[in-house]
Amino acid sequence: NHYGISVPKKLGIAVIRNKKKRQIKNIIDKNKKILPKYYDYVIILKKELLELTYLEMEENLLSLFKQIKEN
C-alpha cells in the first residue's frame, strides 16, 4: 500500500500541520494489519480536523478504511 497525506497551508502554521501529519502516519502504522491491501491512498486533511482529539481522528480514519474494505 502507498499513502499520501496532503496538508494545506490553511490548516495553520507548519508546526501544527506537521503534528497532524505525524499523527495520521502513526494511526496508519498502528493499524496496518486491518487496512485493505492493494490500494493507494491519498488523505487530504480538512480544517475540522483541528478540533478533533487523537482518538477521534483514529476512530474516523478507521471507519473510513472499513467503508473502503466493505466496497
Side-chain angles (χ1 to χ4, degrees):
N1 294 345
H2 295 105
Y3 302 94
I5 302 171
S6 174
V7 186
K9 284 189 176 182
K10 291 181 184 180
L11 211 59
I13 59 175
V15 173
I16 294 171
R17 293 194 311 265
N18 291 335
K19 179 181 178 183
K20 294 300 178 182
K21 196 171 181 178
R22 281 193 313 271
Q23 289 176 339
I24 296 293
K25 287 179 185 178
N26 189 14
I27 292 169
I28 291 170
D29 286 340
K30 277 180 26 181
N31 298 293
K32 275 191 176 181
K33 291 182 181 179
I34 63 170
L35 299 181
K37 296 187 183 216
Y38 310 112
Y39 285 97
D40 293 333
Y41 299 98
V42 176
I43 300 168
I44 303 172
L45 304 184
K46 301 286 182 172
K47 191 128 182 132
E48 294 83 23
L49 181 78
L50 295 175
E51 300 168 5
L52 299 178
T53 64
Y54 178 81
L55 293 176
E56 291 171 334
M57 263 195 319
E58 184 174 23
E59 184 179 300
N60 288 339
L61 192 58
L62 291 178
S63 70
L64 288 173
F65 284 130
K66 285 179 186 176
Q67 288 177 6
I68 292 170
K69 196 173 192 176
E70 291 173 0
N71 289 333

